Amino acid sequence: MKMKRGLFIGALLALFLCCFHIMNQHYDELSRYQYANDENRKIILEYMTTEDINYLIDRQYKPKEFMEYLGMSNFNIRYVDWYNYAKNVGEMDAASILELVDVMKDQMSFSTFKVYCSNYSLAQLKSFYTEENAFVHEQTLISDPSSVTGKIEENTTLFTYTPKDLVEVSGIPIVNQIQGEETIQLSQGAAEELVNMCNAAFEINEKTCGNMVVTTGYISFDTQEQLYEEAVLTYGIDDVFNHVAYPGQSIYQLGNVVRLVVASVETTNLKEMELSPQQLWLIEHAHEYGFEFVNDPAQPLEEFILQYHEDLKQNNEEGDETQ
């Protein structure tokens, strides 16, 4: 009796295993993926694990959103949104996009990644995150340069950031302090308001721009490298930062910072610790044009370093309307 029962249970177990094997052979992992078809089914099953497929089913990505990356090195279905956002930002081949995302995904959120992509080209990001550069070693790339005010922290860098709306400043006195450079560039808003401010400064002494000269505007990363290397040779490594900024850490790279210098004839008769008429005028009026001092306006200055903020200009205009 016990033997018959054992044989019966064994037969049931064998039948169960046989049925399970048959069912497993016919089980379709993509049955719940609404976009599965004869064209994509085989390749999806070939390159995706069960875990990946479950993620795909949960998100229901369309084949056009990921099929071009499938099978490539570094592909991960969990970062499809990153790949496609980068693809829509600018021209870069799929393999390079995957390489870039594979590095950046471990250092930031997707929302931060989008901020980077809005301020830097994919080529710049690829160069920073996947290539060697002595000037940015172990530094953090500033995600949103527009948020920088007054100073760039020592362990951060703008790398090769370039403002998208640079224009050449004209119509006001300009003497570029960088040898070989005759023109000066600024972001469009800063350039327009600088001209407006210079025109208004005529009231100081009835001289063009109040007898002030623009000597510095946008300075590129490449130019900073050149200036830094020249300064090291001239002044030595211990004294170099008294003359130039470290490449990637100059506020002039932001495109919204300008340096104004008063003509020497205007300062010869000033008493010690006396503020020039130009400085007093800028303290009172610069904010009306969206500019604020980067250096200390309370101290007598030979140069005025001003940074343009669109919000400051808008707030000033709103304040005028309410009065």
Side-chain angles (χ1 to χ4, degrees):
M1 188 68 178
K2 290 183 179 180
M3 184 177 295
K4 289 182 179 180
R5 183 183 300 171
L7 291 172
F8 177 71
I9 293 174
L12 287 178
L13 181 60
L15 179 62
F16 170 77
L17 292 175
C18 181
C19 291
F20 180 80
H21 177 70
I22 294 172
M23 289 177 61
N24 190 53
Q25 283 186 319
H26 291 85
Y27 173 68
D28 182 8
E29 287 189 280
L30 294 172
S31 60
R32 293 182 294 117
Y33 178 54
Q34 62 177 314
Y35 302 108
N37 56 38
D38 293 339
E39 293 181 6
N40 60 41
R41 182 183 303 277
K42 182 177 180 180
I43 191 170
I44 291 174
L45 292 174
E46 179 180 357
Y47 288 106
M48 286 193 185
T49 65
T50 298
E51 186 178 355
D52 292 339
I53 291 173
N54 288 335
Y55 187 90
L56 173 63
I57 291 171
D58 184 52
R59 297 298 189 279
Q60 290 294 322
Y61 288 121
K62 296 179 181 179
K64 65 180 182 181
E65 296 181 84
F66 68 91
M67 287 297 290
E68 68 175 300
Y69 311 114
L70 202 57
M72 290 185 175
S73 176
N74 300 325
F75 171 74
N76 189 322
I77 188 65
R78 290 151 191 80
Y79 298 100
V80 165
D81 292 334
W82 296 57
Y83 305 148
N84 290 315
Y85 188 87
K87 179 181 177 181
N88 292 331
V89 166
E91 292 185 4
M92 179 176 279
D93 63 90
S96 295
I97 288 175
L98 264 62
E99 180 185 8
L100 176 61
V101 170
D102 191 52
V103 176
M104 296 185 71
K105 67 181 175 56
D106 295 326
Q107 304 183 42
M108 64 194 68
S109 65
F110 180 47
S111 60
T112 302
F113 174 74
K114 291 193 289 185
V115 174
Y116 275 111
C117 288
S118 67
N119 289 299
Y120 300 87
S121 69
L122 294 182
Q124 287 174 316
L125 293 173
K126 185 175 184 294
S127 179
F128 181 84
Y129 283 101
T130 67
E131 299 171 6
E132 292 292 331
N133 187 298
F135 287 111
V136 297
H137 182 62
E138 295 185 351
Q139 291 184 342
T140 300
L141 183 64
I142 296 170
S143 61
D144 184 7
S146 67
S147 66
V148 177
T149 57
K151 182 183 178 181
I152 296 176
E153 298 298 326
E154 185 177 352
N155 62 339
T156 61
T157 181
L158 291 166
F159 191 42
T160 56
Y161 166 76
T162 305
K164 295 181 174 65
D165 58 347
L166 285 176
V167 296
E168 190 173 298
V169 181
S170 61
I172 56 177
I174 292 173
V175 179
N176 198 320
Q177 68 170 357
I178 299 175
Q179 186 176 4
E181 298 286 342
E182 296 182 358
T183 61
I184 279 178
Q185 292 181 308
L186 287 172
S187 295
Q188 185 169 357
E192 292 174 353
E193 291 304 325
L194 176 62
V195 172
N196 292 336
M197 185 173 68
C198 269
N199 290 337
F202 178 81
E203 68 181 14
I204 299 173
N205 48 24
E206 296 188 347
K207 295 179 180 179
T208 303
C209 200
N211 216 15
M212 293 182 288
V213 178
V214 180
T215 64
T216 311
Y218 167 73
I219 301 179
S220 70
F221 180 81
D222 290 342
T223 300
Q224 290 174 61
E225 284 187 325
Q226 179 183 342
L227 294 174
Y228 176 81
E229 291 168 351
E230 291 174 354
V232 169
L233 293 175
T234 303
Y235 305 106
I237 192 65
D238 294 332
D239 195 37
V240 65
F241 295 123
N242 290 324
H243 303 276
V244 296
Y246 192 76
Q249 295 180 343
S250 171
I251 56 174
Y252 292 107
Q253 190 176 343
L254 296 169
N256 60 8
V257 178
V258 63
R259 178 177 180 264
L260 291 165
V261 175
V262 181
S264 58
V265 67
E266 291 283 329
T267 60
T268 53
N269 296 322
L270 289 178
K271 297 178 182 179
E272 187 177 357
M273 300 305 292
E274 183 180 359
L275 304 187
S276 67
Q278 289 85 354
Q279 187 170 349
L280 291 170
W281 188 89
L282 288 171
I283 291 172
E284 183 177 358
H285 297 287
H287 69 279
E288 298 171 7
Y289 303 90
F291 288 94
E292 65 178 8
F293 277 85
V294 174
N295 47 355
D296 186 359
Q299 301 296 321
L301 301 171
E302 295 179 356
E303 60 180 26
F304 315 126
I305 302 174
L306 304 173
Q307 184 172 22
Y308 175 75
H309 303 283
E310 186 176 359
D311 292 344
L312 183 61
K313 170 67 176 175
Q314 291 174 346
N315 292 339
N316 185 72
E317 291 174 345
E318 291 170 1
D320 291 341
E321 292 175 359
T322 59
Q323 292 179 1

